[in-house]
Amino acid sequence: MRIFLDSNAPEFFNDISESIRAFYPQAIITRENISADFLLRLSLIYDREKIKCSASFFRANNSTPDGTAESSLELPALNSPLELKRIRKRVSKLAVFKLMSKITNIKLPWGSLTGIRPTKLIYERSKMDKRSIIKELTEVYGVAKENVELLLRITDAQRPYIQPEKDAVDIYIGIPFCKTRCIYCSFASVDATKGESLIPGYMRSLIKEIRAVHELIRTRHKRVRCLYIGGGTPTSLDDASFEALLSEISVFAPYCEYTIEAGRPDTITLKKLELIKWAGAQRISINPQSMNARTLELIGRRHTPEEIYSCFEMARNFDFKCINADIIAGLPGESPEDFNYTLNKVKELAPQNITVHTLSIKKGSELARILEASPALQNLSQEHANIMVKNARTVLKTSGYNPYYLYRQKYQAGNLENVGYALKGLECVYNIDIMEETADILALGAGGISKRTFPDNGRIERAPNCKNIMDYTTRIDEMIERKKALFEN
């Protein structure tokens, strides 16, 4: 299906395209009317009090629309250019959502919301009562009531952490190496065995960046709130490299939270856990993804369920404050019963955090190529994912886990979401900071994106590092200068 998008707001082309693909995932959206099967015409209209948008959908060479829809939003009394742009984009997406819903008769669990952080809508309505928030988000934005209630529970859990202290900054350090590459992965990571020759150069550049960022923090009179080492899989490094890394980052102490993603059970050893405890990390991740052996083999994990049990047993001996476990709903070939088996087995391991991801079929991943050849498998995965996610909410709630952060991704099975659950008081502060974008973040390593927030006007400035490992290694001085410029004043 090829759709020509004719709009008087071309700056929102990508956002509107996402709204269309929520209904037609395989659609090709184009800016030009060349061999298009359909035309979607969008028109933004302004008056003094409102911004309106009309949308019409036509078959090729047909002057009568298959459907039309309109939406409007009131303008606040005082609005900045940034706020005006946000409202214009929102009203455009609302019109497209209404139109597509009418044409396809499809109900989306998140309605017109395609952004990755739907909690922001709750924070924008902080002065409204819960009943009014539920009414607006369900009736205007088409969000399922249970999802609005989920957002309200999450924002309630976040309130003790949502406003970081003045001059606080989070540090993220990325290690883009894994023991093997999962078939659903599209991150800037490489197999540690295949990319072993890249590791020494990468580590030299990373250590240089760590030292430069430490000096930046010192001269800008900042202090570290959260330190997070992710990837990739940090524990895929050899012991010497891993110890050298942990020694270097000790300069950032003290901090209120320190997380290291051990992640892959096939990289976790007694020595690695000893080093993590020695470094002072209070929180680690051991991520099964699935507890079904055949699924682990299919997705390229190269470890067994038995190794997961063994890793948890080892980790408990070190008395970490918090262990997180990731699981994925909608993995290829898994039934709801398979997922429930994983959920219950992970629950028996008693991690303090459980993150329930919904499979995201990323372009460029091996999984995307597999599913492109087998559309029926993809449709089945999406159908099952919805059942899995709903069941996880029920099971984890009755087991004492509360949802505390949520984000959504493109190409996610069933148009669903990822949710982090925690036992009370054991929420991951860094996860809240990164998802809600309320904290300054200095991100080190390939693919890291540093952010500086400006709460007074809601503005966020970014300084990205190169994604490619070789580019990062050879252009490290440029990455350092970008960070200095970001925090210039």
Side-chain angles (χ1 to χ4, degrees):
M1 172 187 273
R2 194 176 183 90
I3 300 173
F4 166 44
L5 177 56
D6 181 19
S7 168
N8 67 343
E11 65 271 30
F12 303 133
F13 177 85
N14 291 333
D15 301 285
I16 295 167
S17 295
E18 284 183 30
S19 296
I20 298 169
R21 289 195 191 96
F23 294 89
Y24 296 114
Q26 307 304 321
I28 299 170
I29 320 296
T30 123
R31 298 175 187 266
E32 298 179 357
N33 191 11
I34 300 174
S35 303
D37 304 298
F38 297 93
L39 160 67
L40 196 158
R41 180 167 290 139
L42 203 67
S43 178
L44 275 172
I45 307 160
Y46 301 81
D47 65 26
R48 292 182 178 179
E49 298 179 350
K50 290 184 178 181
I51 295 180
K52 303 176 183 178
C53 185
S54 63
S56 305
F57 197 65
F58 301 83
R59 295 179 186 273
N61 303 316
N62 194 338
S63 59
T64 304
D66 284 6
T68 62
E70 291 185 349
S71 65
S72 65
L73 290 175
E74 293 184 0
L75 288 169
L78 299 173
N79 58 77
S80 64
L82 185 65
E83 180 65 17
L84 182 60
K85 181 180 179 181
R86 186 178 294 126
I87 294 172
R88 291 172 65 234
K89 180 169 69 174
R90 195 168 284 172
V91 77
S92 301
K93 291 170 67 174
L94 267 173
V96 172
F97 166 72
K98 289 181 179 180
L99 176 61
M100 294 289 101
S101 298
K102 187 184 296 184
I103 292 169
T104 65
N105 201 31
I106 293 173
K107 290 186 177 180
L108 300 176
W110 289 98
S112 64
L113 306 185
T114 58
I116 67 172
R117 298 176 179 89
T119 46
K120 287 195 172 183
L121 281 175
I122 304 296
Y123 286 115
E124 288 174 11
R125 288 153 180 76
S126 59
K127 295 181 180 178
M128 293 170 58
D129 63 85
K130 289 187 177 181
R131 183 178 297 178
S132 299
I133 292 173
I134 293 172
K135 180 179 175 65
E136 181 182 359
L137 266 64
T138 54
E139 295 182 5
V140 177
Y141 292 93
V143 181
K145 183 179 178 182
E146 61 266 26
N147 283 347
V148 183
E149 291 171 343
L150 174 65
L151 294 178
L152 289 166
R153 288 181 66 197
I154 287 170
T155 51
D156 282 346
Q158 290 178 350
R159 293 195 194 282
Y161 314 103
I162 200 66
Q163 292 298 334
E165 303 85 345
K166 185 180 179 183
D167 294 326
V169 64
D170 291 345
I171 301 287
Y172 174 84
I173 297 174
I175 306 298
F177 301 98
C178 287
K179 195 160 186 177
T180 59
R181 190 177 182 88
C182 301
I183 64 171
Y184 49 74
C185 180
S186 65
F187 290 137
S189 61
V190 298
D191 294 357
T193 50
K194 294 179 181 178
E196 192 170 351
S197 61
L198 299 175
I199 294 176
Y202 182 82
M203 295 304 295
R204 283 193 296 271
S205 292
L206 181 60
I207 287 171
K208 184 174 185 177
E209 190 177 21
I210 289 170
R211 292 173 180 176
V213 165
H214 176 246
E215 180 65 12
L216 174 63
I217 289 173
R218 188 186 68 80
T219 56
R220 300 296 190 274
H221 306 291
K222 302 286 184 180
R223 66 174 189 81
V224 178
R225 167 167 143 116
C226 300
L227 176 60
Y228 194 105
I229 307 178
T233 308
T235 44
S236 65
L237 296 174
D238 63 80
D239 288 351
S241 297
F242 191 59
E243 184 172 3
L245 171 66
L246 298 184
S247 295
E248 286 290 338
I249 63 178
S250 64
V251 297
F252 294 126
Y255 17 68
C256 78
E257 181 182 89
Y258 184 179
T259 300
I260 297 179
E261 286 188 2
R264 296 278 294 259
D266 49 353
T267 68
I268 299 171
T269 64
L270 190 61
K271 176 64 173 178
K272 290 279 172 45
L273 291 172
E274 287 173 349
L275 289 170
I276 291 170
K277 189 67 177 181
W278 163 79
Q282 313 106 322
R283 185 177 184 274
I284 64 170
S285 289
I286 302 173
N287 299 331
Q289 314 300 25
S290 173
M291 295 296 283
N292 296 290
R294 69 180 186 279
T295 303
L296 293 173
E297 184 176 357
L298 173 64
I299 64 178
R301 291 292 281 185
R302 302 296 184 268
H303 63 78
T304 65
E306 289 71 28
E307 287 178 278
I308 297 167
Y309 295 121
S310 175
C311 288
F312 267 87
E313 187 176 345
M314 276 196 298
R316 285 195 195 95
N317 293 328
F318 290 89
D319 196 28
F320 292 107
K321 180 180 179 182
C322 180
I323 299 177
N324 172 74
D326 285 3
I327 59 176
I328 301 179
L331 287 169
E334 287 211 336
S335 66
E337 290 75 23
D338 291 327
F339 177 79
N340 289 346
Y341 175 81
T342 291
L343 181 63
N344 288 322
K345 287 299 180 183
V346 168
K347 191 161 64 76
E348 288 174 10
L349 292 170
Q352 288 78 15
N353 289 182
I354 298 177
T355 307
V356 180
H357 295 269
T358 306
L359 182 68
S360 181
I361 305 161
K362 302 287 185 65
K363 289 184 177 180
S365 68
E366 178 64 23
L367 179 61
R369 289 188 285 273
I370 292 171
L371 294 181
E372 187 176 356
S374 305
L377 182 60
Q378 181 172 343
N379 293 337
L380 186 63
S381 175
Q382 292 181 346
E383 179 185 334
H384 285 169
N386 189 48
I387 300 170
M388 296 170 180
V389 166
K390 285 185 176 180
N391 185 60
R393 287 190 195 179
T394 302
V395 170
L396 292 175
K397 181 179 180 180
T398 57
S399 302
Y401 292 90
N402 298 307
Y404 76 97
Y405 85 104
L406 177 152
Y407 68 103
R408 302 180 65 224
Q409 297 170 278
K410 294 180 182 179
Y411 319 117
Q412 206 154 18
N415 197 37
L416 294 164
E417 69 283 332
N418 306 314
V419 180
Y421 295 85
L423 299 179
K424 189 172 179 59
L426 291 168
E427 298 81 4
C428 175
V429 178
Y430 178 81
N431 283 339
I432 295 171
D433 286 353
I434 190 70
M435 290 307 156
E436 301 308 327
E437 296 188 313
T438 55
D440 293 342
I441 295 176
L442 282 160
L444 289 65
I449 301 176
S450 298
K451 299 178 184 180
R452 187 176 178 188
T453 62
F454 296 85
D456 292 343
N457 58 17
R459 182 166 53 94
I460 298 173
E461 292 185 2
R462 296 172 172 83
N465 279 359
C466 297
K467 290 184 179 180
N468 180 273
I469 292 172
M470 286 298 295
D471 287 344
Y472 169 80
T473 301
T474 57
R475 296 168 58 187
I476 186 60
D477 291 337
E478 180 186 337
M479 307 298 101
I480 291 169
E481 290 304 316
R482 287 181 186 180
K483 289 178 176 57
K484 289 180 180 177
L486 182 65
F487 286 89
E488 192 65 45
N489 298 311

